Amino acid sequence: MLIFDGHLDLSMNALEWNRDLRRPLEEIRSRESHMTDRAGRGQGVVSFPEMRRGGIGLCIATQIGHSVSKDSPKPGWSSPEIAWSMTQGQLAYYRAMEEVGEMVQISDRESLQAHVKLWQDTPEEEQEKLAIGYVLSLEGADSILTLDYLHRAYRYGLRAVGPAHYGPGRYAPGTGETGGLEPDGRKLLAEMQSLGMILDATHLTDKGLAEALDIFDGPVWASHSNARALVQHQRQWGDEHIKELAARGAVLGAAFDAWMLIPNWKRFVTKPEETNCRLATVVDHIDYICQLLGSTAHSAIGSDLDGGYGREQCPRDLYTISDLSRIAELLAERGYSEADIAGIMHGNWIRFLENAWA
């Protein structure tokens, strides 16, 4: 079955972790086996061959450029200009991958439908030759220097923006913060709406989400977000938020980061083998949202795999990103129909984009 992953930090892995995602995963891990600069070294699960092996022919791929003040304890670039430059390097990476046939940018309804048909019509044993389609999204808007830069980004294919990431932001506070949108954040949303861009609600504060939904009438999704009822943290969405997002037609992608899956996970301390965090735990979050809404139309996958972590902070039975295909089996075991499973695995993201780009 075709899989559409709603959140992958592919360019960050390439440029900041120095990973050649074209190579076999074991080779990538081996090259990092002696490194100790990051907790996830030698533990990565994402590569292009593994994506194709799992049938992941489509994804939302990010640019990330978070900037911070000189007094901030949070990691980030020292100026918005540096952050913008990083996103342009990330764009150059995607363009380089397009030139060698590894990826293809999806930026409108026609290219989306053609790419879906190509993957669905190609026999599984031949999919290793296909390019992986990607929709370009910006995680955290600090790098948008002015609204003119937003227009420039739209012209090169940026189709979704999450105003916030972690900590304070130029446009909106993010995870770990409180408060609502900054004045420039309101202007950003207005300009996004005029361009027909998608608002990624992920990482917004509760107040920021409420304000954003009040002033932004365009398409909204939550690319990698889980249920607060199962893991109590501001990073997740509560029942009332999930219902509000669904009322706006949003799709919520289930994230695979273990601290978002089970309570009391301590990053850099807890180990997967010490817990019962499994792929079935991801399905718990998907199932919770489906039961809450009485519909499967708003649930999907937004794995965030290798989003700054690896197997040391994954479900214990996930070895590579190709294991996303097992989510379909686990949903079937819980009684989900074939049509509902297809929606969660790819159909809901595709329908959302077709409507947004109609």
Side-chain angles (χ1 to χ4, degrees):
M1 181 181 293
L2 175 65
I3 298 175
F4 190 138
D5 191 329
H7 188 87
L8 289 174
D9 298 320
L10 299 175
S11 62
M12 183 191 77
N13 268 272
L15 269 65
E16 295 187 37
W17 289 66
N18 195 23
R19 288 171 169 166
D20 184 352
L21 298 177
R22 300 171 300 170
R23 306 304 304 161
L25 185 59
E26 287 303 328
E27 179 182 319
I28 297 172
R29 289 174 175 168
S30 177
R31 288 192 63 162
E32 297 181 3
S33 60
H34 66 288
M35 299 181 185
T36 58
D37 59 323
R38 302 171 187 256
R41 283 298 188 193
Q43 300 287 327
V45 301
V46 176
S47 71
F48 295 145
E50 290 300 316
M51 289 179 69
R52 293 187 181 91
R53 191 163 73 91
I56 306 161
L58 275 160
C59 68
I60 299 164
T62 65
Q63 295 171 292
I64 304 177
H66 185 47
S67 65
V68 295
S69 68
K70 64 182 179 62
D71 300 321
S72 174
K74 302 286 186 181
W77 302 107
S78 298
S79 74
E81 290 79 8
I82 298 174
W84 168 262
S85 301
M86 287 302 301
T87 66
Q88 298 316 287
Q90 293 160 1
L91 176 65
Y93 172 75
Y94 290 129
R95 293 289 187 254
M97 291 301 98
E98 291 179 58
E99 289 183 13
V100 295
E102 291 284 353
M103 302 182 75
V104 60
Q105 189 174 38
I106 307 297
S107 57
D108 55 36
R109 202 166 188 256
E110 292 71 28
S111 59
L112 172 68
Q113 292 174 338
H115 188 76
V116 170
K117 185 177 188 302
L118 175 63
W119 268 80
Q120 292 184 329
D121 290 351
T122 300
E124 185 176 333
E125 62 272 14
E126 297 179 19
Q127 289 179 353
E128 64 180 19
K129 304 173 185 176
L130 298 181
I132 296 167
Y134 76 100
V135 179
L136 189 61
S137 179
L138 179 64
E139 186 171 23
D142 292 350
S143 61
I144 301 296
L145 303 182
T146 68
L147 295 181
D148 288 341
Y149 280 76
L150 183 70
H151 284 259
R152 188 185 304 185
Y154 183 83
R155 288 194 294 272
Y156 65 60
L158 184 67
R159 291 295 179 264
V161 176
H165 197 202
Y166 280 88
R170 295 179 61 222
Y171 294 98
T175 298
E177 300 296 316
T178 58
L181 302 174
E182 300 293 343
D184 283 346
R186 295 172 175 271
K187 296 175 184 177
L188 176 74
L189 291 184
E191 205 68 19
M192 287 170 55
Q193 184 170 316
S194 74
L195 289 167
M197 299 182 82
I198 298 159
L199 167 63
D200 189 349
T202 308
H203 287 293
L204 285 172
T205 63
D206 290 2
K207 186 176 181 181
L209 176 66
E211 292 179 352
L213 293 181
D214 185 52
I215 65 175
F216 183 81
D217 293 331
V220 182
W221 66 30
S223 63
H224 54 307
S225 301
N226 291 345
R228 191 177 295 178
L230 302 184
V231 177
Q232 287 289 324
H233 193 280
Q234 176 228 21
R235 173 68 177 80
Q236 327 280 20
W237 291 126
D239 289 4
E240 69 281 8
H241 306 120
I242 294 169
K243 292 176 181 178
E244 289 169 354
L245 287 163
R248 291 288 300 270
V251 173
L252 293 87
F256 285 53
D257 196 337
W259 81 269
M260 296 175 57
L261 291 170
I262 61 171
N264 303 316
W265 181 285
K266 296 180 180 178
R267 280 178 279 187
F268 313 120
V269 176
T270 307
K271 295 180 172 55
E273 58 270 19
E274 299 170 350
T275 75
N276 198 33
C277 182
R278 300 175 181 271
L279 287 167
T281 314
V282 179
V283 178
D284 290 342
H285 284 263
I286 294 173
D287 183 60
Y288 181 87
I289 292 172
C290 291
Q291 299 300 331
L292 175 70
L293 299 175
S295 169
T296 61
H298 303 280
S299 291
I301 291 172
S303 74
D304 197 23
L305 289 171
D306 287 0
Y309 66 97
R311 287 203 73 224
E312 82 289 350
Q313 199 166 295
C314 280
R316 59 188 297 182
D317 55 347
L318 185 145
Y319 189 73
T320 89
I321 194 171
S322 67
D323 290 325
L324 294 189
S325 61
R326 294 175 53 202
I327 296 295
E329 303 166 13
L330 294 168
L331 288 166
E333 290 173 4
R334 299 199 191 193
Y336 283 75
S337 71
E338 186 175 341
D340 286 339
I341 294 170
I344 293 168
M345 301 303 286
H346 63 263
N348 292 337
W349 284 130
I350 294 169
R351 183 196 70 248
F352 180 100
L353 286 168
E354 287 181 333
N355 291 337
W357 294 340

